[in-house]
Amino acid sequence: MNTEDPVVPVFIPALVALLPRAENLKGSPLTRDEVVAIRDNAVCMMLRASAKAEIEKKRGYPDIDPERCWDEWLQFRAGTSDRGADT
């Protein structure tokens, strides 16, 4: 395995797009359990970190880190994130 370019999860569509849609459909803020369930049931591919970086560059913003999805989702919702995703 290439330790200089590890394999990482890439969500398709991005979690930063899935979560706002789910919250909009629900009509109220998502709970921690709901955010984790969406992450756990989302389509995910394992790609090299360099491929993920290229996808995020083309998309124009990074995705939420799946290991820190709840904290990053709260930051995104609060507008403290510099992600810039238009969802």
Side-chain angles (χ1 to χ4, degrees):
M1 185 164 130
N2 184 349
T3 58
E4 293 180 17
D5 194 11
V7 176
V8 296
V10 177
F11 290 84
I12 313 245
L15 291 173
V16 76
L18 287 173
L19 294 172
R21 176 158 169 68
E23 188 166 89
N24 186 45
L25 290 171
K26 180 183 176 190
S28 63
L30 297 172
T31 65
R32 177 188 295 261
D33 288 342
E34 289 168 332
V35 169
V36 170
I38 291 166
R39 177 203 62 193
D40 290 350
N41 290 293
V43 174
C44 178
M45 296 178 13
M46 299 302 287
L47 299 175
R48 295 279 179 204
S50 59
K52 179 182 179 185
E54 188 62 31
I55 290 169
E56 290 180 343
K57 181 179 176 185
K58 287 180 183 177
R59 186 173 54 211
Y61 55 88
D63 197 5
I64 289 174
D65 178 350
E67 295 296 318
R68 301 185 64 246
C69 64
W70 176 246
D71 292 332
E72 290 194 11
W73 169 240
L74 293 177
Q75 289 176 351
F76 180 82
R77 284 188 70 242
T80 60
S81 175
D82 61 358
R83 294 181 183 285
D86 293 326
T87 55

